[in-house]
Amino acid sequence: MARPRKPLNLLKATGAYRPDRHADRENAPQADGQPEMPQWLDEEARSCWQTTVPQLVAMGVASNVDNLALAGMCRWYSVWRKADARLQQGKGDSYKLTIEAATGWKNYSAVAAKFGLTPADREKLTLPEPIEPADEFSRLLA
């Protein structure tokens, strides 16, 4: 199975963008707009959405077409948190709750990684230094 393509803005942010390889992707359709939180998210998932999604939008990683993926990520976060809380309180079968919590965390982590939310994925991002505009004197000396 082939490795999935990195989005163009992620290639540029990590310094991996190469015009000879990626120039044809410049004209790819770009989504814009703010993701809208679905009404069916429970309280825990809404909390995840309200903390995470605005930061992803500010980073330019998420847009309105990512609604379902973001909602799924927040829903898996909620499943993990609820199962973990019941496990810590000793309510229910610990074996089943452990599996439920592990499944919730695994699925949350898989989606979160695609948005660069895990520490390892964030570590891969290196933003380029802003280029200072040259003053007239420096331009003449060059």
Side-chain angles (χ1 to χ4, degrees):
M1 182 176 193
R3 181 181 298 176
R5 295 175 90 178
K6 280 188 179 181
L8 197 58
N9 60 346
L10 192 57
L11 287 170
K12 289 180 179 180
T14 59
Y17 175 78
R18 287 184 41 187
D20 60 319
R21 287 187 180 177
H22 307 114
D24 61 330
R25 294 168 60 184
E26 287 286 344
N27 297 329
Q30 298 294 319
D32 61 349
Q34 195 80 355
E36 293 181 23
M37 181 171 41
Q39 297 300 315
W40 49 264
L41 290 179
D42 62 19
E43 186 178 333
E44 196 72 50
R46 285 176 181 269
S47 171
C48 177
W49 182 286
Q50 291 166 348
T51 5
T52 308
V53 173
Q55 294 175 21
L56 291 174
V57 171
M59 289 171 28
V61 176
S63 65
N64 61 344
V65 297
D66 299 314
N67 271 359
L68 291 177
L70 292 167
M73 178 186 73
C74 294
R75 182 72 184 109
W76 281 116
Y77 174 81
S78 175
V79 168
W80 167 67
R81 292 280 295 163
K82 289 178 180 178
D84 189 55
R86 287 193 315 267
L87 188 61
Q88 290 178 11
Q89 295 168 358
K91 296 181 179 177
D93 183 2
S94 64
Y95 177 73
K96 289 180 181 178
L97 287 174
T98 301
I99 291 175
E100 185 179 345
T103 302
W105 180 253
K106 177 183 172 190
N107 291 334
Y108 165 77
S109 296
V111 180
K114 292 182 180 188
F115 288 104
L117 288 178
T118 62
D121 291 319
R122 266 194 315 278
E123 197 171 287
K124 294 175 188 173
L125 292 176
T126 55
L127 299 175
E129 294 291 324
I131 299 172
E132 298 281 331
D135 62 348
E136 187 67 24
F137 183 71
S138 298
R139 190 176 61 78
L140 291 173
L141 290 177

